[in-house]
Amino acid sequence: KSSAGATTVVNRDDRPAAVYQAMILWNKQFSRATMAGLQWFLGLRFWMIALAILACFLIAAAAMRARPAKARKTGVLYAIATTGFFGMAMSLALIFSFQINCGYVYRMVGMLTAMFMAGAAAGGIASRYVLKTSTRQAGALAAIELAACIFCVILFFIMQRWASALLVAPLYAGLCFISGAFVGAEFPLAVSIYRNDKNTDAMAPAAVYAADLAGGVAAAVLAGVILLPLTGIAFFMLGLALLKASGAMIAIIIKNTK
């Protein structure tokens, strides 16, 4: 009787709500402050995530408008931060999904990570070719952001309806490769845009890489600990799609900025 009506959230493989409740239980013994923070997130809904992404986009757009001379740099850092978040979050989601549908991720996690890194290398090489043959770096950045958004939407429908039937081990390797390619392809473009066609800015790679790492750290905490257990893998993909859509809009603003 004491447990009746305690929760309306059903624990599932693709939405491990019990994992989150277990973290609350352990922190009740060892860290009341952490427990309070985790309990605060229990009321998280998808519309709140969408609203947070919209707020981040509006802040970045306002910062670009407030400082026109730094608009391109500000926009690039926002886009790359979302890409860092996307890369780490997508890796976690695919690894979790692999375990759910295939059941032996611990011996394959090295392969999945290697495929992600191979995709990043391939994307970087392709991006360097674009830099040599085209001067429309901002347009290419916007196209990659939009492609990543579409990729997340496709995965949303697959994860929600046909994951167990369609996603086999070789396909996961391909998905990791594609995810890495999006991340790798953006870095050279972002550095070039940040420099604003001036090869004298030696700090450009460091600033862009710092933004990428900041996004990755945020994803490691928010995605792995909070978002994936509370939203489930499918709706997590939809949230990533919204994030990359905001990055695409920022890239379009960069394209139209002198």
Side-chain angles (χ1 to χ4, degrees):
K1 290 181 179 179
S2 65
S3 64
T7 179
T8 57
V9 178
V10 178
N11 184 67
R12 296 186 177 92
D13 285 340
D14 61 349
R15 190 184 179 187
V19 172
Y20 198 81
Q21 295 290 346
M23 286 192 292
I24 293 176
L25 178 62
W26 278 102
N27 280 284
K28 185 176 182 179
Q29 301 177 62
F30 302 112
S31 176
R32 290 301 182 104
T34 306
M35 180 198 72
L38 292 173
Q39 286 181 324
W40 185 84
F41 279 105
L42 277 174
L44 186 69
R45 298 294 182 269
F46 184 78
W47 66 266
M48 298 178 184
I49 298 172
L51 194 62
I53 293 171
L54 177 61
C56 291
F57 165 74
L58 292 176
I59 291 171
M64 293 174 69
R65 185 172 182 179
R67 301 180 65 188
K70 301 286 186 180
R72 290 169 67 88
K73 292 185 177 181
T74 302
V76 163
L77 295 181
Y78 176 84
I80 288 299
T82 66
T83 298
F85 192 100
F86 165 86
M88 177 62 74
M90 186 62 73
S91 295
L92 290 172
L94 290 175
I95 288 171
F96 292 164
S97 182
F98 187 100
Q99 172 62 22
I100 293 167
N101 292 305
C102 301
Y104 52 96
V105 73
Y106 292 106
R107 72 175 186 177
M108 298 298 288
V109 68
M111 182 275 292
L112 295 174
T113 304
M115 290 303 296
F116 181 91
M117 298 304 294
I125 293 170
S127 183
R128 291 292 298 172
Y129 176 78
V130 171
L131 287 173
K132 291 179 180 179
T133 59
S134 175
T135 58
R136 299 179 178 178
Q137 294 94 339
L141 180 64
I144 295 170
E145 290 283 296
L146 185 58
C149 174
I150 295 171
F151 177 70
C152 293
V153 171
I154 293 172
L155 282 182
F156 164 71
F157 286 107
I158 292 176
M159 296 293 184
Q160 192 175 36
R161 296 179 179 273
W162 310 293
S164 58
L166 294 180
L167 295 180
V168 293
L171 186 55
Y172 276 105
L175 293 175
C176 287
F177 183 90
I178 295 171
S179 302
F182 286 128
V183 176
E186 288 195 12
F187 194 86
L189 293 171
V191 171
S192 179
I193 297 169
Y194 190 93
R195 283 174 170 168
N196 200 17
D197 300 325
K198 297 177 181 178
N199 294 324
T200 57
D201 192 348
M203 290 298 295
V208 172
Y209 191 47
D212 179 79
L213 290 180
V217 170
V221 176
L222 295 176
V225 177
I226 298 171
L227 297 178
L228 278 167
L230 292 182
T231 65
I233 296 177
F235 278 94
F236 180 73
M237 292 294 174
L238 194 58
L240 283 181
L242 293 177
L243 184 66
K244 297 316 292 175
S246 72
M249 288 187 285
I250 288 294
I252 292 172
I253 295 174
I254 295 172
K255 182 182 176 182
N256 297 324
T257 300
K258 300 295 182 181

